[in-house]
Amino acid sequence: MNRSEPRPLTLSAPGPLTGSLTVPGDKSISHRSLMFGGLAVGETHITGLLEGEDVLATAAAMRAMGCTVTRSGPGEWRVSGVGVGGLLQPETALDMGNSGTSTRLLMGLIASHAITATFIGDASLSRRPMARVIEPLSTMGADFTASPGGRLPLTLRGISPAVPITYTLPVASAQVKSAILLAGLNTPGITRVIEPVLTRDHSERMLTGFGTDISVEPSDQGRVISIRGEAELRPQQIVVPGDPSSAAFWMVAASIVPGSDIVIRNVGLNPTRSGIATALRAMGADIVEQDTREAGGEPVADLRVRHAPLSAIEVPHDLAPSMIDEYPALFVAAAFASGRTVARGAHELRVKESDRIAAMAAALGACGVEIEEFEDGLAVTGTGGDPLPGGARIASLLDHRIAMSMGIASLHAGKPIVVDDARPIATSYPDFTDTAIALGAEAHWVTQ
């Protein structure tokens, strides 16, 4: 099959899922380790880096701006940085592929450097709005020429010195927060971000490790993150923990396939990312932490997950920021629970790689699941543990999380569920299908 053509895939589980696995390195931490390493003076050594297409787009962009980024083995990378303020003008457009994280964080990185960069991406990324990042970075002095709707392709003209700002996040977004903090690294004075709702804090943790002057304090308005600019970053030894977003698929898979018993090793359990485990446990999932420890400043553990009957819940709205990328997997778990699960408070899903609320409503609905769609989430009436009726072909919409979520749903279905194109999975989890097979599943590449 020509790899430029769609690759339809269906998974099935003829028996329980068993064994142990290691998920790819955390995507958020992988992106940041390359960027911060590129701003340090000296060599940063990274192990466990996610080698999916999104992270490789970040590596290529950092190389284009003068950093030396080399792979020395599986998951092992070295970054020789140019120092804060030392980024060079890229000679060609920065191709972000499908990576919204790369795009938004690099916009912040470049905004306070006196260079110009053009960002391009694939069809999916080019539909995603960038205005929420453009607005605060413009206030700092950067200039943007964007496609209609604040979309890619866009050209950013950075400025040095930029103007420090105090910015209150209008929506919960770790990407917007991080973009402003990155711009603040090369901005004289103190740049502040106020977040009324807690979001993932990988940037704050890692910037502390690299030696920046950063503080986090509570206030009546929310957490206030302050960073002093013109920083000098020290190179680091970074161990990237396993990505909880990738682990979520196997937590759900083991929970819904009868008799399953698996161990997911080295999973990052940062409290700003662990909402999916909290929600699944509330539904009755059997998830036990083993060998809890710390790696690279992040809490990690091995997770033993066994099949268990799931019950419907109303997902607390305040869990949304800590599991925003895991909602598609949660919707699948809800499809097998007893009762009607309501998961709302997730407006952000409308502007991901696809409209994930509409995409999952259509996908699960096509498989015979009763769905009610809201502007900010779904209500899902589950089967009580019985297989989904299935028998549908699902539109992945170039969205890796839709493709993997429905791949997991197909493991316990009466009739095959075909994901129309599995290629987007490579953006975050290149070994997803091989891992499913190793746990006892069967994979079938479907003829067009």
Side-chain angles (χ1 to χ4, degrees):
M1 181 183 292
N2 187 332
R3 290 302 296 267
S4 66
E5 297 176 352
R7 302 196 75 205
L9 171 69
T10 184
L11 298 176
S12 61
L17 303 178
T18 58
S20 64
L21 66 135
T22 301
V23 293
D26 186 285
K27 187 149 71 89
S28 297
I29 296 174
S30 293
H31 283 302
R32 288 162 173 80
S33 64
L34 292 171
M35 293 182 196
F36 297 162
L39 293 179
V41 178
E43 185 175 87
T44 290
H45 182 213
I46 308 165
T47 57
L49 188 88
L50 169 63
E51 294 178 336
E53 293 173 357
D54 283 11
V55 175
L56 296 181
T58 293
M62 296 308 293
R63 286 192 195 100
M65 293 185 288
C67 305
T68 301
V69 184
T70 56
R71 183 179 187 268
S72 52
E76 276 202 49
W77 291 67
R78 297 181 184 276
V79 183
S80 294
V82 296
V84 172
L87 295 178
L88 302 179
Q89 173 89 31
E91 295 181 358
T92 59
L94 302 178
D95 188 347
M96 298 290 96
N98 190 241
S99 182
T101 302
S102 301
T103 306
R104 294 188 177 105
L105 268 60
L106 287 169
M107 286 166 63
L109 196 68
I110 294 169
S112 58
H113 287 72
I115 61 177
T116 298
T118 296
F119 292 85
I120 60 175
D122 67 10
S124 172
L125 182 61
S126 297
R127 290 193 294 268
R128 299 177 66 182
M130 299 295 159
R132 63 178 57 176
V133 179
I134 291 173
E135 194 272 330
L137 297 180
S138 297
T139 304
M140 298 180 76
D143 182 64
F144 294 84
T145 302
S147 299
R151 292 174 167 81
L152 269 56
L154 68 76
T155 297
L156 160 58
R157 287 166 287 278
I159 186 170
S160 182
V163 178
I165 61 172
T166 296
Y167 187 78
T168 300
L169 295 177
V171 295
S173 173
Q175 291 181 359
V176 177
K177 172 179 67 175
S178 297
I180 297 167
L181 295 176
L182 282 166
L185 283 172
N186 196 42
T187 299
I190 297 176
T191 297
R192 293 183 177 88
V193 179
I194 301 172
E195 57 172 8
V197 178
L198 178 67
T199 66
R200 60 184 64 178
D201 64 355
H202 300 306
S203 292
E204 297 96 301
R205 288 174 181 258
M206 192 173 290
L207 285 168
T208 299
F210 273 88
T212 59
D213 184 354
I214 184 170
S215 65
V216 181
E217 299 175 345
S219 75
D220 293 340
Q221 290 77 41
R223 292 170 82 242
V224 180
I225 305 104
S226 304
I227 189 166
R228 185 176 296 278
E230 300 179 311
E232 183 171 325
L233 275 59
R234 300 188 297 263
Q236 298 293 302
Q237 302 284 324
I238 298 174
V239 179
V240 180
D243 195 328
S245 297
S246 297
F249 299 113
W250 307 119
M251 293 186 217
V252 173
S255 296
I256 65 175
V257 176
S260 295
D261 185 351
I262 67 172
V263 175
I264 313 170
R265 303 200 181 280
N266 196 44
V267 180
L269 294 179
N270 183 306
T272 64
R273 295 284 304 283
S274 58
I276 183 64
T278 301
L280 290 174
R281 284 181 174 127
M283 297 174 75
D286 184 354
I287 303 171
V288 178
E289 296 176 18
Q290 301 176 335
D291 189 19
T292 55
R293 55 201 184 274
E294 187 172 289
E298 297 274 345
V300 301
D302 301 336
L303 300 179
R304 184 179 183 185
V305 188
R306 288 172 282 192
H307 172 256
L310 302 179
S311 299
I313 63 169
E314 184 161 338
V315 180
H317 284 209
D318 59 7
L319 274 185
S322 65
M323 57 179 289
I324 196 67
D325 287 331
E326 291 77 68
Y327 268 85
L330 178 73
F331 294 147
V332 171
F336 291 92
S338 297
R340 183 175 185 263
T341 295
V342 179
R344 302 189 64 172
H347 299 85
E348 182 78 6
L349 295 180
R350 293 288 186 186
V351 290
K352 289 289 187 178
E353 283 84 337
S354 67
D355 179 340
R356 287 178 175 165
I357 294 174
M360 288 302 296
L364 290 172
C367 293
V369 180
E370 182 181 333
I371 299 290
E372 182 178 359
E373 182 176 342
F374 309 107
E375 181 58 32
D376 61 345
L378 296 177
V380 182
T381 301
T383 65
D386 292 337
L388 298 186
R393 187 181 183 91
I394 303 303
S396 63
L397 303 176
L398 298 177
D399 190 325
H400 56 130
R401 298 205 192 280
I402 302 301
M404 286 186 281
S405 295
M406 294 310 299
I408 293 304
S410 71
L411 292 173
H412 194 39
K415 296 180 181 178
I417 297 171
V418 179
V419 176
D420 70 341
D421 191 358
R423 291 176 303 163
I425 292 172
T427 65
S428 67
Y429 201 159
D431 295 331
F432 174 80
T433 304
D434 289 341
T435 299
I437 294 170
L439 294 175
E442 294 180 352
H444 303 279
W445 297 103
V446 181
T447 303
Q448 294 281 354

